Amino acid sequence: MKQGERKNFASKLGLILATAGSAVGLGNIWRFPVEAGEGGGGAFLLLYIICIVIIGVPLMTAEFLIGRAAHSNTSSAYRSLTTNPFFKHFGILTILIGWFIMCYYIVVSGWTLQYLLDSISGTFIHLDKTGNANAYADHFNALVSNPWKPIVCLVIFVLMSHYIISRGVEKGIERFSKIMMPLLFVILLILALCSLFTDGAREGLSFLFKPDFSKITFSTALQAMGQAFFSLSIGVGCLCTYASYFSSTTDLQSTALKVSLIDSLVAIIAGVIIFPAVFSAGMSPDAGASLVFVALPNVFHQAFGNIEWVSYLVSVMFYALLVLATLTSVISIHEVPTAWLTEDFHMSRKKASALVGVICIIIGSLCSLSMGAVKGLNVGDRNLFDFFDWTTSSVLLPLSGFFITLFVGWVLPKRIVNEQLPSYGRKTAIAVKLLINIIRYVAPPVILLIFLRGLKII
Ligand code: PHE
């Protein structure tokens, strides 16, 4: 496809909101509290912020740089920028990692949709009235082990994303993000305010913000780094593909800074919503993957239970928030292989997006069934769903991030890096120099060390 035929994002705001839309998702609202809860709260948050600053922002800029320099999908971007036999094909690898993520991501996306419907229909108020302490856990387990319900939900999610993707970059992705993201921030702030008035506010906030330094280990650092990569959508071709729709005047470094800031703020605010609520209900913050689905609906009722309509509204808003955030991320992962198939295999956008969706639905359904409906869908001692989650965030994303730093720091011709990161004055010249040095000398050994020590390889 000729460069002139490709659509770009039409406005600066649209571009930032769309990219932030990719970054902000289940990773912030579902995965971050789970990881922080298990990693000791404040200690995890501290490691997470360090990872975002010294690895996340530089890596995001690096991926932007590749995408905008090539102005094409991730696979041809690497192919057109280098003749190195490994890196020439590296783009395809990142696309496949993203595709891998989408397959299990849509399973959780489906749950969010079902929980939104449950909140609207008042199911949680009914569960609260049964007086059974396990009612919420039973409800969640019944959903995830149901053979067809989660699959119907994930199919609906993929169809929604397919609809938006096939409308194109500007009329689909950008327009949709411009509506969804502001709405998401409003809901987030209202919920955070509500949470601050619960009984557990003090305990929850001190869990989240007071680091217990004994919890800082390499394995927590690997969790934090994997979470930072996942949350910023690093290493899967998303940022590269979106940057290929940036205009030549977009400032890559400041865009990366803004998007990372928005993403981290949303994760922290999600923690501010969730931990006070969890402590108010006397629950444990390390409840794991079900935190948002078992603890929270219960918590909303315990925390605001005296006034039924408030707890009803809070839970509807929370799950609506989760669905919105998830949809903007699913769209971005869906876009990566779609752009690849459209440009490299000359498929129509609609056909490419449908093909990507169908493959995800098939693998996603298997992941969903592995959660209980069908026994034995395991890899080693992990069920398929956990296998996809662990492999991507703890292995594939760190590795992919490591190779991207090598590529931009050492393989890509300096001329291209300087073209993409021009320095207009002394201040930007220093910032660009700092960034390039981090990409060359700091990020690769740090990623590798955390990766190898975290997995206990060294
Ligand atoms: N960043 C998204 C989130 O936090 C997940 C995601 C990962 C999206 C990789 C695109 C690519 O939920």
Side-chain angles (χ1 to χ4, degrees), residues 89-356:
H89 303 292
F90 183 69
I92 297 193
L93 230 71
T94 63
I95 294 175
L96 293 180
I97 300 175
W99 213 334
F100 216 67
I101 291 187
M102 182 166 167
C103 291
Y104 86 90
Y105 198 86
I106 51 171
V107 177
V108 187
S109 311
W111 300 344
T112 63
L113 198 60
Q114 180 61 46
Y115 265 60
L116 174 61
L117 297 178
D118 285 344
S119 316
I120 293 173
S121 68
T123 303
F124 298 128
I125 294 182
H126 167 73
L127 286 181
D128 197 47
K129 287 193 174 135
T130 61
N132 172 4
N134 291 328
Y136 293 96
D138 293 345
H139 182 74
F140 178 67
N141 291 334
L143 170 68
V144 298
S145 57
N146 186 299
W148 59 269
K149 234 184 187 180
I151 296 182
V152 172
C153 292
L154 73 84
V155 170
I156 296 176
F157 229 96
V158 173
L159 286 178
M160 291 196 287
S161 143
H162 168 71
Y163 171 75
I164 295 163
I165 293 263
S166 31
R167 293 174 61 95
V169 175
E170 189 192 327
K171 291 208 180 94
I173 301 175
E174 183 173 355
R175 191 175 288 176
F176 177 76
S177 307
K178 269 182 162 167
I179 304 171
M180 290 305 158
M181 293 306 286
L183 197 60
L184 189 140
F185 291 126
V186 173
I187 299 180
L188 205 64
L189 289 179
I190 296 177
L191 288 174
L193 267 180
C194 287
S195 220
L196 290 180
F197 289 104
T198 58
D199 298 338
R202 180 176 286 228
E203 220 179 331
L205 294 182
S206 103
F207 176 76
L208 181 62
F209 292 115
K210 263 205 190 135
D212 167 1
F213 290 101
S214 69
K215 294 267 167 51
I216 296 185
T217 61
F218 272 104
S219 127
T220 322
L222 178 62
Q223 304 277 95
M225 187 171 75
Q227 172 61 21
F229 283 12
F230 184 87
S231 192
L232 293 179
S233 312
I234 282 172
V236 296
C238 260
L239 302 173
C240 189
T241 307
Y242 271 27
S244 73
Y245 307 130
F246 288 3
S247 82
S248 53
T249 52
T250 305
D251 180 337
L252 300 184
Q253 245 179 316
S254 96
T255 307
L257 258 178
K258 283 179 194 147
V259 172
S260 307
L261 196 71
I262 294 176
D263 187 67
S264 312
L265 267 180
V266 173
I268 293 172
I269 298 177
V272 169
I273 295 173
I274 289 167
F275 290 116
V278 165
F279 280 98
S280 313
M283 296 191 155
S284 164
D286 57 358
S290 58
L291 191 67
V292 159
F293 295 102
V294 176
L296 272 193
N298 189 358
V299 157
F300 289 146
H301 284 278
Q302 305 258 350
F304 309 105
N306 296 339
I307 323 168
E308 205 167 80
W309 67 268
V310 177
S311 62
Y312 175 85
L313 261 188
V314 167
S315 94
V316 170
M317 279 202 295
F318 181 80
Y319 290 105
L321 165 84
L322 211 52
V323 168
L324 292 184
T326 306
L327 189 56
T328 49
S329 296
V330 170
I331 291 168
S332 75
I333 326 183
H334 200 152
E335 171 66 14
V336 180
T338 303
W340 175 46
L341 296 176
T342 312
E343 293 177 5
D344 285 15
F345 296 87
H346 308 291
M347 283 187 186
S348 72
R349 222 178 139 72
K350 250 196 186 139
K351 243 196 207 150
S353 154
L355 179 65
V356 174

